Amino acid sequence: MTEAEDRKPRSDEARYDPEITSEFAVPKGLDVPRAGGEPETTSEFAVPEGLETPQPQSPEAEGSAFSTPHTYSARSAPGAFTPAAGVPLVSLVKDAPWQDRMRAMLRMPVTERPAPEQVQRVEEEGPAVPRVLDLTLRIGELLLAGGEGAEDVEAAMFAVCRSYGLDRCEPNVTFTLLSVSHQPSLVEDPVTASRTVRRRVTDYTRLAAVFRLVADLTDPETHVSLEEAYRRLAEIRRNRHPYPGWALTVAGGLLAGAASVLVGGDLIVFVAAALGAMLGDRLAWLCAGRGLPEFYQFMVAAMPPAAIGVAFALAHVDLKASAVVTGGLFALLPGRALVAGVQDGLTGFYITASARLLEVMYFFVGIVAGVLVVLYFGVKVGGKLNPDAALGLSNRPLLQIAASMLLSLTFAVLLQQERSTVLWVTLNGGVAWSVYGAMHYAGNISPVASTAVAAGLVGLYGQLLSRYRFASALPYTTAALGPLLPGSATYFGLLSIAQNEIDKGLVSLAKAASLAMAIAIGVNLGSEISRLFLRVGSAGKRRAAKRTRGF
């Protein structure tokens, strides 16, 4: 048989056998383990057998830029920089008021804040972030609309978020806009929600109820679910004001009468000032019902007291007509907004402070316009008002202290305070006027310095009461500042301008502005002193906001 014949297939079956004819056929008798598929045997990225590599616990941790590398070892880690004084340990007193704890953490960098301790019950899969943020914004809206300072509103919003276990929350408060942002981690997208405050209602009873809700949310022994928190918040919104409309009108009249007694008025002046203030209040309610802005409401409300004072001057009645107008102005001066605006500026919230002070300026311009219109026509028709007729106030200290307490009481009613706080703020107002009278009339100290010291004591006393009751300090301080408001200086400035004595009027108005600033700064200083030196439930050192010091 030739070699060519030997290469020919011997049968048709052998002709189509791939193992015999294929070059890649495995010889018989050689066992080679079959691989699971061609990619593993032919891929150049295949891991050789016998080489074990650590497998990551999850694909996300392996691919994350913030995860610890698998080759990292704490023993062989490079040296890290440590400050000479060491890294400070953040420690907060557990039984401190939530306001102090939240303020301290808000002033820390995010990386230095302690981890949140979840104190409220949430669902098993974790807190519902959008619902928690919505609850936070609704609580902040009620506080900001009630006149609370921007710092305290941010502290309350931060407290609500942390009570439900949300870390990395950043609340932001401006005059009309609230926002809060929550970022679960450095590699996840943040969740941000905002809410606009369109209507402001002065109701300190509602404000106190919101503070109690926040205190319960931050208390680890009181478990408040999201549904329960929403229910309580809805009840707070639905609650009516504690005092009816007629009581507010009567309170405004009594406030004006008490203020007229402070500047030297008698019983007839008391009645006249009360009637003028009540008439102005009813006219302002009528304008509000017609939808007029607050500027015109203040303008209309300032006209009746001024008109009654001019009428007494035209009738040549032997009484202090200037005291009638001054008493009517006391009921209109926006002392609450002024104190809140200056306090926001002192605590670093400059946008909110500017907006509040601009609001105060518009209200003040409305009062000025209303009074000037009446005084101008009164002067033109022969009404002579003597500014010196309202002076000589140091002869009746007991009567003036009683009038200051009545003024604080009626101011508390106008602010819709709880009945349990009215007595405290009334006593606080009497103490404030006593300190002011002792320094100014007995000690011959300047009225600005006397006002600042008296307002500082008001702020200190109110802050102590609020910290004792874990409540807002506004119900204990705002109404007590009523006797210190610069009503007489404002009126004398307006009267001088109406009588074409511009220089004298501007000097008096500048004095009124100085007294207003002294009140606001004194209240804030008293609050800060209570936090710094009187360790009543304090959270330790309170970090100050970092400043550039001009460079």
Side-chain angles (χ1 to χ4, degrees), residues 243 247-248 250-259 270 403-417 422 425-426 479:
Y243 306 103
L248 299 181
V250 174
L254 294 177
L255 188 152
F270 178 92
S404 66
M405 296 178 67
L406 177 61
L407 192 152
S408 299
L409 188 148
T410 52
F411 201 178
V413 174
L414 290 176
L415 294 174
Q416 302 281 0
Q417 290 190 197
V422 170
V425 75
T426 301

Side-chain angles (χ1 to χ4, degrees), residues 58-68 168 182-191:
S58 63
E60 296 180 359
E62 178 70 19
S64 174
F66 300 96
S67 60
T68 305
R168 299 182 182 275
H182 166 65
Q183 188 173 12
S185 65
L186 293 175
V187 295
E188 295 184 59
D189 295 333
V191 180

Side-chain angles (χ1 to χ4, degrees), residues 478-497:
T478 305
L481 297 174
L484 303 177
L485 292 177
S488 58
T490 303
Y491 165 69
F492 295 152
L494 299 180
L495 179 60
S496 299
I497 293 176

Side-chain angles (χ1 to χ4, degrees), residues 378-395:
V379 171
K380 288 296 183 181
V381 297
K384 298 297 183 180
L385 297 174
N386 183 14
D388 297 331
L391 300 180
L393 311 176
S394 59
N395 300 326

